[in-house]
Amino acid sequence: MKTRARILDGKAVAREVRAEVKVRAGRLRERGIVPKLGIVLAGGFAPSQIYVRSKERACARAGIEVEVARFPDETTFEELRDRIQEWNQDKALHGMIVQLPLPGGIDSSKVLDLVKPGKDVDGLTSMNLGKLVAGRPEFMPATPAGIIELLVRSRVGISGRRVVVVGRSELVGKPLANILLLRGDRGDATVTVCHSKTRDLAEVCRSADILVVAAGRARLVDGDMVKPGAVVIDVGINRTEQGLVGDVDFDSVAAKASAITPVPGGVGPMTVAMLLVNTVKAAENQASGE
Ligand code: NAP
């Protein structure tokens, strides 16, 4: 009888990563430097309030100070710009993120590009995304970086494997594909990226040794779309009447895959952990005058 897939426990791996960040933050504090993150939170979108609260908690536990700048739904580009520019100059604040989505009418890419690249701990400025594509990454976006970290620490080999990424967003799919193409053990994959215009998605997915689904469509991928023994990473967070579900139909896929991430408790905790890693790294860089 076939055993069910191994669960890739993002919560446990994130705990490990956060403990390492805490040690690094402690070393900075011994030198009189308190690592600090700024979060721009615009509008009242409920999931964003939850994500920001969990980021605040994780920072506090890891010894990273946080300041949240809250703006109402009717805020303007200029108000956000002024705060980001103030934080760009603030030597006591080492990293900042802009919680997405922004209220309607505000161009998020224009806002993101105001962040000084050295403080861009979400890795979403054009400069940092460009460096990643050029093969010289500095800060990598937290969700894709978290997926790689989870695979590596779960001893899933990436090099030489065929990886299919479903989704091509600037936040997840596109940076992930580029990280997977970097040279070295954490990359060197053969990468295929799918999106809503991909023909015969099921067949492409079945070619994957590692299948990453980041489409934002509840249970888009089921067991028939997965090769026996594949590793499946479910990035999706969908609020449905049955509660929170991923982009992967867990039961049918777990019966076929060799390993799978749960939702919740898979990629989500890794995203927060990698934000902490990037923040402490920004503080270390700034402390050493980079
Ligand atoms: P997004 O910006 O909406 O992008 C979705 C991507 O999926 C697009 O490229 C879209 O194709 C593609 N897609 C949609 N329906 C498809 C279909 N039926 N077949 C094939 N491709 C399809 O979403 P995102 O920001 O990347 O987020 C994706 C999911 O991950 C969401 O559920 C989000 O909540 C979740 N998420 C989780 C975390 C975490 O920490 N766990 C972090 C970020 C996001 P087109 O480009 O052609 O439209």
Side-chain angles (χ1 to χ4, degrees):
M1 205 181 81
K2 192 196 174 304
T3 49
R4 267 170 74 91
R6 169 163 74 112
I7 302 296
L8 301 177
D9 185 348
K11 249 181 165 171
V13 175
R15 207 176 299 131
E16 223 175 87
V17 173
R18 291 203 317 262
E20 292 164 16
V21 169
K22 190 170 181 176
V23 170
R24 288 165 68 179
R27 281 197 207 114
L28 285 166
R29 281 173 177 258
E30 279 164 17
R31 296 163 59 193
I33 299 155
V34 179
K36 184 172 175 186
L37 173 72
I39 304 179
V40 172
L41 175 56
F45 184 57
S48 292
Q49 316 293 319
I50 298 169
Y51 295 144
V52 166
R53 225 172 297 133
S54 90
K55 288 170 186 176
E56 280 184 280
R57 255 198 317 265
C59 280
R61 286 194 194 133
I64 295 171
E65 203 177 293
V66 195
E67 183 177 339
V68 182
R70 291 172 202 277
F71 296 88
D73 280 305
E74 331 48 75
T75 192
T76 59
F77 172 82
E78 288 73 22
E79 279 183 319
L80 303 183
R81 180 198 60 200
D82 291 351
R83 174 55 62 108
I84 291 169
Q85 286 176 343
E86 187 189 309
W87 278 351
N88 278 341
Q89 302 303 320
D90 182 351
K91 287 202 159 50
L93 185 140
H94 307 96
M96 75 180 98
I97 63 169
V98 178
Q99 185 66 41
L100 300 175
L102 292 176
I106 301 182
D107 182 343
S108 54
S109 60
K110 262 174 101 181
V111 173
L112 287 169
D113 271 343
L114 293 166
V115 176
K116 192 160 138 179
K119 293 191 176 188
D120 169 29
V121 290
D122 253 348
L124 294 175
T125 56
S126 305
M127 173 71 96
N128 279 323
L129 287 172
K131 281 186 167 177
L132 169 59
V133 175
R136 292 179 276 105
E138 202 153 315
F139 290 109
M140 293 195 272
T143 301
I147 293 168
I148 302 293
E149 201 62 39
L150 181 59
L151 289 171
V152 169
R153 291 188 189 231
S154 307
R155 299 197 166 71
V156 175
I158 298 172
S159 173
R161 312 286 297 278
R162 185 176 288 265
V163 184
V164 172
V165 180
V166 182
R168 58 172 162 184
S169 70
E170 269 68 43
L171 201 64
V172 187
K174 220 182 268 179
L176 177 62
N178 283 282
I179 297 172
L180 288 162
L181 288 173
L182 291 172
R183 290 173 199 278
D185 282 350
R186 302 166 73 94
D188 280 343
T190 301
V191 185
T192 303
V193 182
C194 302
H195 45 76
S196 65
K197 306 290 188 293
T198 296
R199 283 194 200 154
D200 206 347
L201 181 67
E203 193 180 316
V204 182
C205 288
R206 275 195 294 271
S207 72
D209 301 319
I210 301 173
L211 175 62
V212 184
V213 192
R217 298 279 181 276
R219 302 193 185 94
L220 173 70
V221 168
D222 64 18
D224 290 340
M225 299 169 74
V226 174
K227 175 165 84 176
V231 172
V232 179
I233 305 291
D234 188 354
V235 187
I237 302 176
N238 306 289
R239 288 173 174 78
T240 68
E241 281 175 5
Q242 296 93 48
L244 212 64
V245 301
D247 289 353
V248 169
D249 178 47
F250 187 87
D251 289 335
S252 65
V253 172
K256 249 189 151 181
S258 61
I260 185 169
T261 56
V263 175
V267 175
M270 291 304 299
T271 296
V272 178
M274 297 316 285
L275 171 65
L276 305 185
V277 171
N278 281 349
T279 303
V280 88
K281 178 179 155 188
E284 288 165 353
N285 289 350
Q286 287 158 46
S288 64
E290 277 178 38

